[in-house]
Amino acid sequence: MDDDRPAGAREDPATTPSGPILSAGVGAAPVEWTPARPAPARVDEVADGLVVVGVGTRVAAYLLDVFILGWIAITIDLALRSSAAQANVISPTVITVIGVGYFVLSWISPWSATPGQRLAGLRVVDATSLGPIGFGRALVRALLLGWAFDLLSFAVPYGSFIGMILLFYSFGLLATAMTNPRRQGLHDRLTRTLVIRPKLASPAPLALGCVLALVLVFAAPFIILAVGGDALQRQLNVPTASSQP
């Protein structure tokens, strides 16, 4: 059947509403919507290719640093005990100062990480800008990490009591890091720092370093006896073979 309407009254296909027809006979108005942003590939990703470091990796890196400092401490202790009369006071003080400097200088270095942290690609950075931190914050962070208690243990006559406080404090730092979404412990929050690493960083170097550290721990008694046997014998007042008639 032919359409008898005038040409100007015919429907234009381009303007004819194609949506569902309401009861009033009017085409449905288009609904405005905003496409949802794609969710990040990882919840712990703080920037493109950078993620927050887990507590386990941080603890492993810290223990490796403590192992390195332990060997330095043994060397200094043996050297001072064989030459200084006040070695019981001088040696722990020197070792603590070296320990604080070890962490501070590592965090303000171009790598922003200690040797143990570098094995896993870790970096200690500002929590907002993800840039390096300065000397002041690095020093406060090192003291909050527990080295302040080591310094106090030499200044007060309650060294063993301070040591117990340090033990519980260390567990407290670990708990605050585990319960924080960005794995920031108390020392991280107070200094506004964050520990990050590249998303594709391999944990293999850190794992190898930990294995070598364990091997050296088992070999340590033999190495100490070979290197500082005479000093240990003098400390224990045990006569050496050369001093016997």
Side-chain angles (χ1 to χ4, degrees):
M1 184 175 179
D2 295 336
D3 191 354
D4 297 333
R5 288 177 296 174
R10 294 179 182 176
E11 295 181 352
D12 186 356
T15 60
T16 301
S18 58
I21 304 301
L22 302 180
S23 58
V26 181
V31 178
E32 295 184 0
W33 63 280
T34 304
R37 295 181 179 179
R42 297 180 54 161
V43 177
D44 56 353
E45 190 167 356
V46 295
D48 188 19
L50 296 175
V51 296
V52 174
V53 180
V55 175
T57 303
R58 292 178 60 174
V59 171
Y62 180 76
L63 291 179
L64 193 57
D65 288 320
V66 170
F67 173 79
I68 296 173
L69 287 172
W71 279 101
I72 297 175
I74 292 173
T75 304
I76 293 175
D77 189 67
L78 291 176
L80 291 178
R81 288 184 184 278
S82 61
S83 59
Q86 302 295 329
N88 291 334
V89 177
I90 298 175
S91 177
T93 305
V94 171
I95 292 170
T96 301
V97 172
I98 291 177
V100 173
Y102 173 91
F103 285 96
V104 172
L105 295 178
S106 297
W107 290 333
I108 64 175
S109 69
W111 301 278
S112 300
T114 62
Q117 291 173 330
R118 289 180 60 188
L119 288 178
L122 277 57
R123 294 178 67 91
V124 178
V125 298
D126 180 85
T128 303
S129 66
L130 304 183
I133 62 176
F135 177 83
R137 272 200 287 176
L139 177 60
V140 174
R141 191 177 191 273
L143 295 177
L144 290 174
L145 196 58
W147 289 97
F149 291 97
D150 288 328
L151 293 174
L152 287 175
S153 64
F154 308 134
V156 297
Y158 304 105
S160 58
F161 178 69
I162 296 295
M164 290 296 298
I165 294 178
L166 174 60
L167 180 61
F168 287 106
Y169 177 77
S170 300
F171 283 110
L173 289 182
L174 185 62
T176 55
M178 293 177 64
T179 56
N180 185 268
R182 304 180 79 187
R183 298 299 178 257
Q184 288 177 292
L186 179 64
H187 57 303
D188 294 312
R189 301 180 205 177
L190 293 178
T191 55
R192 304 185 310 278
T193 56
L194 190 67
V195 183
I196 61 175
R197 67 172 176 84
K199 182 167 56 176
L200 300 180
S202 173
L206 178 61
L208 179 60
C210 291
V211 171
L212 292 177
L214 288 175
V215 172
L216 289 176
V217 165
F218 286 108
F222 305 99
I223 298 176
I224 293 174
L225 288 176
V227 175
D230 293 339
L232 288 175
Q233 287 177 344
R234 285 194 295 269
Q235 183 68 22
L236 298 174
N237 295 321
V238 177
T240 59
S242 60
S243 63
Q244 296 178 354

